[in-house]
Amino acid sequence: MRRFQCTSLCSYNWPYCLRRCTYCNFNKYIPKENKDHLITKCLLQETETLLQLSGVSRITSVFFGGGTPSLAPPSTIAAILESVSKLVNLSHDAEVTIEVNPTPAGMSKLEDFCSAGVNRFSIGVQSLQDEDLKVLGRDHSSRESLQTIAEARRLCPGRVSVDMMFGRPRQTVESWEKELAELLEICDDHVSLYQLTLERGTQLFKQVHCGVASVPGDDVTADMYHSARRTLQQHGFLQYEVSNFARHNSMSGHNMSYWKGEQYIGVGPGAHGRFVPVGEGGLDREARTQTLEPDVWMREVQQSGHGTRRRTHLSHLQLLEEVLVMGMRMTKGITNKHWELFSPHMSLQEVFGASSDVQELLRNQRLILNDRGLRCSWDGLALLDSILPTLLVELEKQTFLKPH
């Protein structure tokens, strides 16, 4: 496993938000007082600890998520990037992305974020309908979204992504298509589309459960997804992952690395990581989760240098399961050469080729398994959630029949 160790990604979680959206169950907190200085100090300390523990020599991309990372002072972003570049080699062409809430406050910081070292923006538009934004609990308007996109494109042309959500309350296929047409007039070269998921415990879940609100059925959301795929393709966007579309080769390098099963270091409250702790003699990859609650996390970092709450050794099967699940999200799927990096003794053909269930998926043109690798067809990608269980069962069966 040491051969994966020379390069890595860094993902930072800024846990604070000004308010909680009605659909969101992410790890986020509304601060009672300003602790920017303290959390910045702790982010720097945990960065140093985990980079040393991982033994990586080069960072190829950095992502600031949350929460609402655009609430962070640009000086925090600058300090983190400076720290990373001092500790390891931060590639000169490293992709540095920050998620931005398209409020006037968020837009006003864009130039300072660029000066701090950010070179890509991911803007959480979600909807261009003001009434829908209110239902979702968002604190921006459609007009503010358009202004933020324009300013971001001015600062980072070709490196601005827009997040949109479908399956929203009262949404129809027709209104969705109209909204997409409006988006395509002003967006840059990357679009991410996510279906609204009703998460238990959220305000919107309760509203739907009580009959106060309703969301489109599965058939309608499937039509929305298919319509969006066709529309984006007609406008020159290549779908390269279940939810992500790009033109002019503007794919997210950071996310591509996730889907390829590369290791990454997660820093900040609630952050997740996957890496081999070679700094303490580790040989196998671990799944690591940082403490959720910011104040508790900061105390742990001050005491121990990091706030890792849970670390789980990944077995060979668990590692292959992650490579499979993440890799199948990409339209290119998993190449034989890439699979061999993680499974040198058992090829994709050996794992899946003899399975009657997989053969049925191949006959129905949901899957493609050939001398290049394994991937979903155009139709199959929309059904990935129903295909993966079949693949995972077969992977587990073959792994136990032929241990590595």
Side-chain angles (χ1 to χ4, degrees), residues 10-54:
C10 276
S11 293
Y12 288 86
N13 189 57
W14 182 268
Y16 299 125
C17 287
L18 294 180
R19 63 197 291 183
R20 181 173 288 276
C21 299
T22 62
Y23 59 89
C24 183
N25 73 336
F26 285 0
N27 182 50
K28 56 174 58 178
Y29 298 85
I30 299 171
K32 296 178 181 177
E33 57 183 301
N34 188 317
K35 296 185 178 180
D36 289 353
H37 176 73
L38 181 56
I39 194 170
T40 298
K41 184 178 179 181
C42 290
L43 287 169
L44 295 173
Q45 190 171 353
E46 188 169 70
T47 295
E48 181 174 358
T49 300
L50 296 184
L51 281 176
Q52 290 175 348
L53 184 62
S54 72

Side-chain angles (χ1 to χ4, degrees), residues 270-333:
H272 292 258
R274 296 285 189 282
F275 64 85
V276 183
V278 298
E280 57 183 28
L283 296 174
D284 297 312
R285 187 178 293 196
E286 292 182 347
R288 302 174 71 97
T289 306
Q290 308 310 100
T291 293
L292 293 173
E293 206 281 319
D295 287 345
V296 178
W297 171 82
M298 284 188 275
R299 283 200 298 271
E300 292 175 355
V301 173
Q302 290 170 324
Q303 292 167 2
S304 307
H306 65 88
T308 303
R309 175 55 57 95
R310 186 171 67 249
R311 48 189 295 189
T312 306
H313 168 266
L314 293 179
S315 67
H316 182 61
L317 173 60
Q318 288 172 322
L319 179 60
L320 292 183
E321 286 173 337
E322 290 199 352
V323 171
L324 177 68
V325 170
M326 299 303 279
M328 291 302 292
R329 294 185 62 87
M330 296 183 289
T331 52
K332 291 183 178 180

Side-chain angles (χ1 to χ4, degrees), residues 116-127:
V118 170
N119 56 27
R120 185 174 182 273
F121 293 115
S122 177
I123 303 175
V125 173
Q126 314 308 353
S127 171

Side-chain angles (χ1 to χ4, degrees), residues 8 24 34 40 51 59 83 96 103 124 144 165 177 186 198-199 205 228 243 269 328 340 354 360 376 378:
S8 183
C24 183
N34 188 317
T40 298
L51 281 176
I59 295 296
S83 176
V96 181
T103 60
E144 290 166 348
M165 184 179 291
E177 290 175 342
I186 50 87
L198 293 175
E199 301 286 0
F205 178 91
S243 302
M328 291 302 292
E340 189 179 349
E360 184 177 355
C376 287
W378 171 267

Side-chain angles (χ1 to χ4, degrees), residues 124-186:
V125 173
Q126 314 308 353
S127 171
L128 292 175
Q129 304 297 318
D130 286 339
E131 283 303 312
D132 287 8
L133 290 169
K134 290 176 184 176
V135 171
L136 296 174
R138 303 292 293 178
D139 58 354
H140 67 271
S141 67
S142 58
R143 182 170 175 269
E144 290 166 348
S145 289
L146 301 182
Q147 292 171 335
T148 304
I149 292 170
E151 174 67 359
R153 292 186 68 185
R154 182 184 72 81
L155 294 166
C156 292
R159 298 176 72 94
V160 178
S161 180
V162 173
D163 288 0
M164 291 290 286
M165 184 179 291
F166 65 96
R168 307 188 306 259
R170 301 191 309 272
Q171 193 179 29
T172 65
V173 175
E174 292 74 24
S175 67
W176 172 234
E177 290 175 342
K178 183 179 178 182
E179 196 170 5
L180 275 179
E182 185 179 354
L183 175 72
L184 286 164
E185 291 180 6
I186 50 87

